[in-house]
Amino acid sequence: MIDGSYMRMYSFTKMEGLGNDFIVIDDRNKMIDFNDETVRWLCDRHFGIGADGLILLRPVADNSVDFAWRFFNADGSIAEMCGNGIRCIGAYLVERNLVDENKETVRIQTQTRAVQIRLLRNSAGSFQAAEVDMGQAAVTAESLALNGLEFFCVSMGNPHAVLFVPDVNVAPVATLGPCIEQDAAFPGKTNVEFASVQDRSTLYLRVWERGVGETLACGTGACAAVVAAFLKGYCDPQVTVYLPGGALQIAIDPATLQVMMTGPARSVFEGSILI
């Protein structure tokens, strides 16, 4: 769990978006270079802090972007995007006064693109929720047969395989999820969504996240599931997605498949850890 030959104390904030939880560390000095083993230890729920992922807040040289991040899955791998994590960064910036109180939008450079977040505050000026421009969805396969089942595959900057099921409560998430995640059809592995359509404006969803396992929520997974449901004619362009950790509002532009996601995020606690 130790990088290098010396110990150092790191301050962190534990955050969550619908129960999808993250360790956030301010690395605007860009001095942190955790290896895979350290990330796995920090995210371990028994021996470390415990989280679904680790986020390093980074500086940017390009003034068209406000901040950057480096996002790690719990297994130490790098993720291209995380919808719940990006909302947590929005909350982090507001709570720590890292953005002006009148600033309505921020742009965060992720692994693949700059993501715009609209900061939604309450009457007291405190962070309440974030509306995130999740980008344009790309359909990679409308009908991919795996394990005798039909998956609808969508990229939200990261890969998703969506399976529609009658009832998410009895879906084989823990058994089928890891099999599909590591299937040879996905050289870089994939997130796996188990979606159930209640009506044209309501979906229920459980997600097996690549590099993590089943999580209480997945923002990009919710977007992918709604895109798949919309293109299959199951739902309208504006949908409430209910996940085990809570609800997200997803809106799709029917012409371009541009996706907007709105939901909450919050800090849980702060601390420091010796590494």
Side-chain angles (χ1 to χ4, degrees):
M1 70 182 184
I2 298 173
D3 294 326
S5 58
Y6 64 95
M7 305 290 280
R8 175 183 168 188
M9 190 71 74
Y10 291 86
S11 297
F12 68 88
T13 302
K14 179 72 177 290
M15 306 196 73
E16 62 91 8
L18 301 186
N20 200 191
D21 58 343
F22 309 96
I23 301 161
V24 179
I25 298 177
D26 188 342
D27 188 31
R28 284 177 292 158
N29 292 325
K30 207 171 181 181
M31 296 178 64
I32 298 174
D33 187 22
F34 291 147
N35 61 26
D36 295 358
E37 183 183 4
T38 301
V39 173
R40 288 194 296 270
W41 172 69
L42 287 168
C43 293
D44 189 282
R45 298 189 183 279
H46 300 286
F47 296 102
I49 298 167
D52 293 322
L54 169 68
I55 303 172
L56 301 180
L57 183 67
R58 290 276 178 84
V60 288
D62 181 358
N63 59 15
S64 69
V65 181
D66 297 289
F67 299 92
W69 80 1
R70 188 163 176 80
F71 185 97
F72 299 87
N73 292 315
D75 68 352
S77 61
I78 297 291
E80 300 92 339
M81 177 55 179
C82 176
N84 292 318
I86 205 81
R87 295 198 320 277
C88 284
I89 287 297
Y92 185 90
L93 296 174
V94 173
E95 291 170 357
R96 280 146 193 81
N97 299 312
L98 297 178
V99 293
D100 187 273
E101 62 181 8
N102 297 316
K103 192 173 180 65
E104 292 186 357
T105 62
V106 293
R107 288 170 61 81
I108 307 297
Q109 182 65 52
T110 69
Q111 190 76 2
T112 55
R113 68 180 183 91
V115 176
Q116 182 165 294
I117 309 170
R118 186 161 73 96
L119 304 169
L120 305 177
R121 298 175 170 92
N122 60 24
S123 57
S126 300
F127 178 88
Q128 190 167 26
E131 181 187 68
V132 182
D133 182 348
M134 297 294 288
Q136 189 174 24
V139 177
T140 54
E142 292 188 2
S143 180
L144 181 62
L146 299 170
N147 286 46
L149 299 167
E150 182 182 291
F151 290 82
F152 195 108
C153 299
V154 178
S155 172
M156 291 302 307
N158 58 351
H160 297 269
V162 182
L163 176 68
F164 289 95
V165 297
D167 184 354
V168 296
N169 294 313
V170 296
V173 179
T175 52
L176 184 59
C179 292
I180 302 303
E181 175 197 8
Q182 301 177 59
D183 192 276
F186 308 103
K189 300 184 180 180
T190 188
N191 301 284
V192 188
E193 282 72 39
F194 297 79
S196 176
V197 180
Q198 176 171 300
D199 54 47
R200 295 198 64 82
S201 62
T202 311
L203 262 66
Y204 285 87
L205 185 68
R206 289 171 64 190
V207 181
W208 180 270
E209 282 203 53
R210 176 183 60 166
V212 184
E214 184 175 7
T215 56
L216 293 178
C218 177
T220 55
C223 295
V226 173
V227 169
F230 174 73
L231 292 177
K232 289 178 76 69
Y234 297 161
C235 71
D236 296 329
Q238 297 189 29
V239 176
T240 299
V241 179
Y242 290 96
L243 300 113
L248 290 171
Q249 305 299 320
I250 308 296
I252 303 172
D253 183 323
T256 64
L257 296 185
Q258 193 78 12
V259 185
M260 302 296 291
M261 173 197 66
T262 305
R266 70 182 185 97
S267 295
V268 181
F269 63 86
E270 297 180 352
S272 57
I273 189 165
L274 190 64
I275 301 176

PDB file of all heavy atoms in Angstrom, residues 121-146:
ATOM      1  N   ARG A 121     -27.937  25.497  -6.826  1.00  0.00           N
ATOM      2  CA  ARG A 121     -27.830  25.863  -5.417  1.00  0.00           C
ATOM      3  C   ARG A 121     -29.208  26.147  -4.839  1.00  0.00           C
ATOM      4  O   ARG A 121     -30.133  26.527  -5.563  1.00  0.00           O
ATOM      5  CB  ARG A 121     -26.944  27.103  -5.248  1.00  0.00           C
ATOM      6  CG  ARG A 121     -25.491  26.937  -5.696  1.00  0.00           C
ATOM      7  CD  ARG A 121     -24.773  28.269  -5.599  1.00  0.00           C
ATOM      8  NE  ARG A 121     -23.341  28.194  -5.788  1.00  0.00           N
ATOM      9  CZ  ARG A 121     -22.708  28.329  -6.934  1.00  0.00           C
ATOM     10  NH1 ARG A 121     -23.422  28.535  -8.032  1.00  0.00           N
ATOM     11  NH2 ARG A 121     -21.397  28.275  -7.006  1.00  0.00           N
ATOM     12  N   ASN A 122     -29.339  26.012  -3.509  1.00  0.00           N
ATOM     13  CA  ASN A 122     -30.587  26.389  -2.855  1.00  0.00           C
ATOM     14  C   ASN A 122     -30.584  27.880  -2.543  1.00  0.00           C
ATOM     15  O   ASN A 122     -29.646  28.597  -2.902  1.00  0.00           O
ATOM     16  CB  ASN A 122     -30.821  25.548  -1.593  1.00  0.00           C
ATOM     17  CG  ASN A 122     -29.711  25.719  -0.561  1.00  0.00           C
ATOM     18  OD1 ASN A 122     -29.005  26.730  -0.541  1.00  0.00           O
ATOM     19  ND2 ASN A 122     -29.558  24.736   0.311  1.00  0.00           N
ATOM     20  N   SER A 123     -31.619  28.357  -1.868  1.00  0.00           N
ATOM     21  CA  SER A 123     -31.753  29.794  -1.607  1.00  0.00           C
ATOM     22  C   SER A 123     -30.633  30.329  -0.724  1.00  0.00           C
ATOM     23  O   SER A 123     -30.338  31.525  -0.742  1.00  0.00           O
ATOM     24  CB  SER A 123     -33.108  30.089  -0.958  1.00  0.00           C
ATOM     25  OG  SER A 123     -33.262  29.347   0.242  1.00  0.00           O
ATOM     26  N   ALA A 124     -29.994  29.452   0.044  1.00  0.00           N
ATOM     27  CA  ALA A 124     -28.884  29.873   0.901  1.00  0.00           C
ATOM     28  C   ALA A 124     -27.548  29.854   0.171  1.00  0.00           C
ATOM     29  O   ALA A 124     -26.518  30.210   0.742  1.00  0.00           O
ATOM     30  CB  ALA A 124     -28.821  28.989   2.143  1.00  0.00           C
ATOM     31  N   GLY A 125     -27.556  29.410  -1.080  1.00  0.00           N
ATOM     32  CA  GLY A 125     -26.330  29.347  -1.861  1.00  0.00           C
ATOM     33  C   GLY A 125     -25.566  28.052  -1.737  1.00  0.00           C
ATOM     34  O   GLY A 125     -24.480  27.906  -2.300  1.00  0.00           O
ATOM     35  N   SER A 126     -26.127  27.087  -0.995  1.00  0.00           N
ATOM     36  CA  SER A 126     -25.465  25.793  -0.816  1.00  0.00           C
ATOM     37  C   SER A 126     -25.762  24.878  -2.008  1.00  0.00           C
ATOM     38  O   SER A 126     -26.828  24.964  -2.632  1.00  0.00           O
ATOM     39  CB  SER A 126     -25.940  25.119   0.475  1.00  0.00           C
ATOM     40  OG  SER A 126     -25.645  25.919   1.593  1.00  0.00           O
ATOM     41  N   PHE A 127     -24.820  23.997  -2.285  1.00  0.00           N
ATOM     42  CA  PHE A 127     -24.995  23.049  -3.388  1.00  0.00           C
ATOM     43  C   PHE A 127     -26.186  22.140  -3.108  1.00  0.00           C
ATOM     44  O   PHE A 127     -26.360  21.618  -2.003  1.00  0.00           O
ATOM     45  CB  PHE A 127     -23.737  22.202  -3.558  1.00  0.00           C
ATOM     46  CG  PHE A 127     -23.845  21.178  -4.646  1.00  0.00           C
ATOM     47  CD1 PHE A 127     -23.509  21.497  -5.951  1.00  0.00           C
ATOM     48  CD2 PHE A 127     -24.292  19.898  -4.379  1.00  0.00           C
ATOM     49  CE1 PHE A 127     -23.615  20.564  -6.979  1.00  0.00           C
ATOM     50  CE2 PHE A 127     -24.400  18.946  -5.383  1.00  0.00           C
ATOM     51  CZ  PHE A 127     -24.067  19.279  -6.686  1.00  0.00           C
ATOM     52  N   GLN A 128     -27.009  21.955  -4.148  1.00  0.00           N
ATOM     53  CA  GLN A 128     -28.178  21.097  -4.011  1.00  0.00           C
ATOM     54  C   GLN A 128     -28.133  19.920  -4.983  1.00  0.00           C
ATOM     55  O   GLN A 128     -28.433  18.798  -4.624  1.00  0.00           O
ATOM     56  CB  GLN A 128     -29.451  21.915  -4.232  1.00  0.00           C
ATOM     57  CG  GLN A 128     -30.732  21.187  -3.878  1.00  0.00           C
ATOM     58  CD  GLN A 128     -31.914  22.149  -3.820  1.00  0.00           C
ATOM     59  OE1 GLN A 128     -31.918  23.190  -4.471  1.00  0.00           O
ATOM     60  NE2 GLN A 128     -32.903  21.801  -3.035  1.00  0.00           N
ATOM     61  N   ALA A 129     -27.757  20.216  -6.224  1.00  0.00           N
ATOM     62  CA  ALA A 129     -27.693  19.172  -7.256  1.00  0.00           C
ATOM     63  C   ALA A 129     -26.862  19.712  -8.406  1.00  0.00           C
ATOM     64  O   ALA A 129     -26.433  20.870  -8.407  1.00  0.00           O
ATOM     65  CB  ALA A 129     -29.093  18.798  -7.731  1.00  0.00           C
ATOM     66  N   ALA A 130     -26.631  18.852  -9.385  1.00  0.00           N
ATOM     67  CA  ALA A 130     -25.886  19.263 -10.570  1.00  0.00           C
ATOM     68  C   ALA A 130     -26.564  18.716 -11.813  1.00  0.00           C
ATOM     69  O   ALA A 130     -27.053  17.583 -11.820  1.00  0.00           O
ATOM     70  CB  ALA A 130     -24.441  18.778 -10.509  1.00  0.00           C
ATOM     71  N   GLU A 131     -26.594  19.547 -12.844  1.00  0.00           N
ATOM     72  CA  GLU A 131     -27.044  19.111 -14.160  1.00  0.00           C
ATOM     73  C   GLU A 131     -25.794  18.965 -15.026  1.00  0.00           C
ATOM     74  O   GLU A 131     -25.056  19.932 -15.210  1.00  0.00           O
ATOM     75  CB  GLU A 131     -28.000  20.128 -14.767  1.00  0.00           C
ATOM     76  CG  GLU A 131     -28.523  19.708 -16.142  1.00  0.00           C
ATOM     77  CD  GLU A 131     -29.344  20.810 -16.790  1.00  0.00           C
ATOM     78  OE1 GLU A 131     -28.758  21.859 -17.146  1.00  0.00           O
ATOM     79  OE2 GLU A 131     -30.559  20.623 -16.942  1.00  0.00           O
ATOM     80  N   VAL A 132     -25.573  17.782 -15.535  1.00  0.00           N
ATOM     81  CA  VAL A 132     -24.331  17.483 -16.238  1.00  0.00           C
ATOM     82  C   VAL A 132     -24.609  17.189 -17.705  1.00  0.00           C
ATOM     83  O   VAL A 132     -25.488  16.381 -18.037  1.00  0.00           O
ATOM     84  CB  VAL A 132     -23.617  16.268 -15.602  1.00  0.00           C
ATOM     85  CG1 VAL A 132     -22.291  16.000 -16.309  1.00  0.00           C
ATOM     86  CG2 VAL A 132     -23.400  16.487 -14.113  1.00  0.00           C
ATOM     87  N   ASP A 133     -23.863  17.852 -18.579  1.00  0.00           N
ATOM     88  CA  ASP A 133     -23.903  17.532 -19.997  1.00  0.00           C
ATOM     89  C   ASP A 133     -23.062  16.275 -20.200  1.00  0.00           C
ATOM     90  O   ASP A 133     -21.829  16.332 -20.183  1.00  0.00           O
ATOM     91  CB  ASP A 133     -23.347  18.703 -20.810  1.00  0.00           C
ATOM     92  CG  ASP A 133     -23.397  18.451 -22.309  1.00  0.00           C
ATOM     93  OD1 ASP A 133     -23.653  17.296 -22.719  1.00  0.00           O
ATOM     94  OD2 ASP A 133     -23.167  19.396 -23.080  1.00  0.00           O
ATOM     95  N   MET A 134     -23.726  15.159 -20.377  1.00  0.00           N
ATOM     96  CA  MET A 134     -23.033  13.878 -20.452  1.00  0.00           C
ATOM     97  C   MET A 134     -22.507  13.557 -21.848  1.00  0.00           C
ATOM     98  O   MET A 134     -21.909  12.518 -22.074  1.00  0.00           O
ATOM     99  CB  MET A 134     -23.971  12.765 -19.978  1.00  0.00           C
ATOM    100  CG  MET A 134     -24.390  12.903 -18.518  1.00  0.00           C
ATOM    101  SD  MET A 134     -23.018  12.699 -17.373  1.00  0.00           S
ATOM    102  CE  MET A 134     -22.741  10.934 -17.502  1.00  0.00           C
ATOM    103  N   GLY A 135     -22.737  14.468 -22.790  1.00  0.00           N
ATOM    104  CA  GLY A 135     -22.226  14.255 -24.130  1.00  0.00           C
ATOM    105  C   GLY A 135     -23.188  13.461 -24.999  1.00  0.00           C
ATOM    106  O   GLY A 135     -24.312  13.149 -24.614  1.00  0.00           O
ATOM    107  N   GLN A 136     -22.710  13.136 -26.181  1.00  0.00           N
ATOM    108  CA  GLN A 136     -23.522  12.431 -27.159  1.00  0.00           C
ATOM    109  C   GLN A 136     -23.314  10.928 -27.032  1.00  0.00           C
ATOM    110  O   GLN A 136     -22.185  10.439 -27.067  1.00  0.00           O
ATOM    111  CB  GLN A 136     -23.156  12.896 -28.563  1.00  0.00           C
ATOM    112  CG  GLN A 136     -24.069  12.391 -29.652  1.00  0.00           C
ATOM    113  CD  GLN A 136     -23.728  13.013 -30.998  1.00  0.00           C
ATOM    114  OE1 GLN A 136     -22.601  13.457 -31.225  1.00  0.00           O
ATOM    115  NE2 GLN A 136     -24.687  13.051 -31.905  1.00  0.00           N
ATOM    116  N   ALA A 137     -24.418  10.230 -26.853  1.00  0.00           N
ATOM    117  CA  ALA A 137     -24.340   8.772 -26.775  1.00  0.00           C
ATOM    118  C   ALA A 137     -24.008   8.196 -28.143  1.00  0.00           C
ATOM    119  O   ALA A 137     -24.416   8.739 -29.174  1.00  0.00           O
ATOM    120  CB  ALA A 137     -25.654   8.197 -26.277  1.00  0.00           C
ATOM    121  N   ALA A 138     -23.271   7.101 -28.137  1.00  0.00           N
ATOM    122  CA  ALA A 138     -22.942   6.404 -29.387  1.00  0.00           C
ATOM    123  C   ALA A 138     -23.359   4.949 -29.260  1.00  0.00           C
ATOM    124  O   ALA A 138     -22.936   4.253 -28.325  1.00  0.00           O
ATOM    125  CB  ALA A 138     -21.443   6.504 -29.675  1.00  0.00           C
ATOM    126  N   VAL A 139     -24.188   4.510 -30.170  1.00  0.00           N
ATOM    127  CA  VAL A 139     -24.626   3.114 -30.166  1.00  0.00           C
ATOM    128  C   VAL A 139     -23.535   2.266 -30.799  1.00  0.00           C
ATOM    129  O   VAL A 139     -23.121   2.506 -31.934  1.00  0.00           O
ATOM    130  CB  VAL A 139     -25.945   2.952 -30.932  1.00  0.00           C
ATOM    131  CG1 VAL A 139     -26.344   1.470 -30.992  1.00  0.00           C
ATOM    132  CG2 VAL A 139     -27.047   3.773 -30.283  1.00  0.00           C
ATOM    133  N   THR A 140     -23.055   1.284 -30.062  1.00  0.00           N
ATOM    134  CA  THR A 140     -21.996   0.418 -30.588  1.00  0.00           C
ATOM    135  C   THR A 140     -22.536  -0.928 -31.066  1.00  0.00           C
ATOM    136  O   THR A 140     -21.908  -1.596 -31.883  1.00  0.00           O
ATOM    137  CB  THR A 140     -20.906   0.200 -29.528  1.00  0.00           C
ATOM    138  OG1 THR A 140     -21.502  -0.289 -28.326  1.00  0.00           O
ATOM    139  CG2 THR A 140     -20.202   1.520 -29.212  1.00  0.00           C
ATOM    140  N   ALA A 141     -23.699  -1.333 -30.549  1.00  0.00           N
ATOM    141  CA  ALA A 141     -24.357  -2.554 -31.030  1.00  0.00           C
ATOM    142  C   ALA A 141     -25.802  -2.545 -30.541  1.00  0.00           C
ATOM    143  O   ALA A 141     -26.051  -2.436 -29.350  1.00  0.00           O
ATOM    144  CB  ALA A 141     -23.647  -3.805 -30.525  1.00  0.00           C
ATOM    145  N   GLU A 142     -26.751  -2.640 -31.484  1.00  0.00           N
ATOM    146  CA  GLU A 142     -28.159  -2.627 -31.098  1.00  0.00           C
ATOM    147  C   GLU A 142     -28.628  -3.990 -30.609  1.00  0.00           C
ATOM    148  O   GLU A 142     -29.607  -4.078 -29.858  1.00  0.00           O
ATOM    149  CB  GLU A 142     -29.026  -2.169 -32.273  1.00  0.00           C
ATOM    150  CG  GLU A 142     -28.813  -0.706 -32.645  1.00  0.00           C
ATOM    151  CD  GLU A 142     -29.815  -0.224 -33.672  1.00  0.00           C
ATOM    152  OE1 GLU A 142     -30.702  -1.021 -34.055  1.00  0.00           O
ATOM    153  OE2 GLU A 142     -29.717   0.943 -34.084  1.00  0.00           O
ATOM    154  N   SER A 143     -27.962  -5.033 -31.032  1.00  0.00           N
ATOM    155  CA  SER A 143     -28.358  -6.371 -30.607  1.00  0.00           C
ATOM    156  C   SER A 143     -27.131  -7.281 -30.595  1.00  0.00           C
ATOM    157  O   SER A 143     -26.725  -7.817 -31.626  1.00  0.00           O
ATOM    158  CB  SER A 143     -29.425  -6.933 -31.560  1.00  0.00           C
ATOM    159  OG  SER A 143     -29.816  -8.233 -31.162  1.00  0.00           O
ATOM    160  N   LEU A 144     -26.548  -7.407 -29.413  1.00  0.00           N
ATOM    161  CA  LEU A 144     -25.372  -8.245 -29.248  1.00  0.00           C
ATOM    162  C   LEU A 144     -25.746  -9.452 -28.402  1.00  0.00           C
ATOM    163  O   LEU A 144     -26.169  -9.308 -27.245  1.00  0.00           O
ATOM    164  CB  LEU A 144     -24.249  -7.454 -28.574  1.00  0.00           C
ATOM    165  CG  LEU A 144     -22.935  -8.196 -28.343  1.00  0.00           C
ATOM    166  CD1 LEU A 144     -22.309  -8.630 -29.665  1.00  0.00           C
ATOM    167  CD2 LEU A 144     -21.969  -7.341 -27.538  1.00  0.00           C
ATOM    168  N   ALA A 145     -25.631 -10.637 -28.992  1.00  0.00           N
ATOM    169  CA  ALA A 145     -26.011 -11.869 -28.294  1.00  0.00           C
ATOM    170  C   ALA A 145     -24.855 -12.359 -27.432  1.00  0.00           C
ATOM    171  O   ALA A 145     -23.772 -12.663 -27.944  1.00  0.00           O
ATOM    172  CB  ALA A 145     -26.414 -12.940 -29.293  1.00  0.00           C
ATOM    173  N   LEU A 146     -25.081 -12.404 -26.122  1.00  0.00           N
ATOM    174  CA  LEU A 146     -24.086 -12.895 -25.166  1.00  0.00           C
ATOM    175  C   LEU A 146     -24.788 -13.776 -24.145  1.00  0.00           C
ATOM    176  O   LEU A 146     -25.829 -13.393 -23.603  1.00  0.00           O
ATOM    177  CB  LEU A 146     -23.404 -11.726 -24.440  1.00  0.00           C
ATOM    178  CG  LEU A 146     -22.616 -10.731 -25.296  1.00  0.00           C
ATOM    179  CD1 LEU A 146     -22.234  -9.528 -24.454  1.00  0.00           C
ATOM    180  CD2 LEU A 146     -21.389 -11.395 -25.888  1.00  0.00           C
TER     181      LEU A 146
END
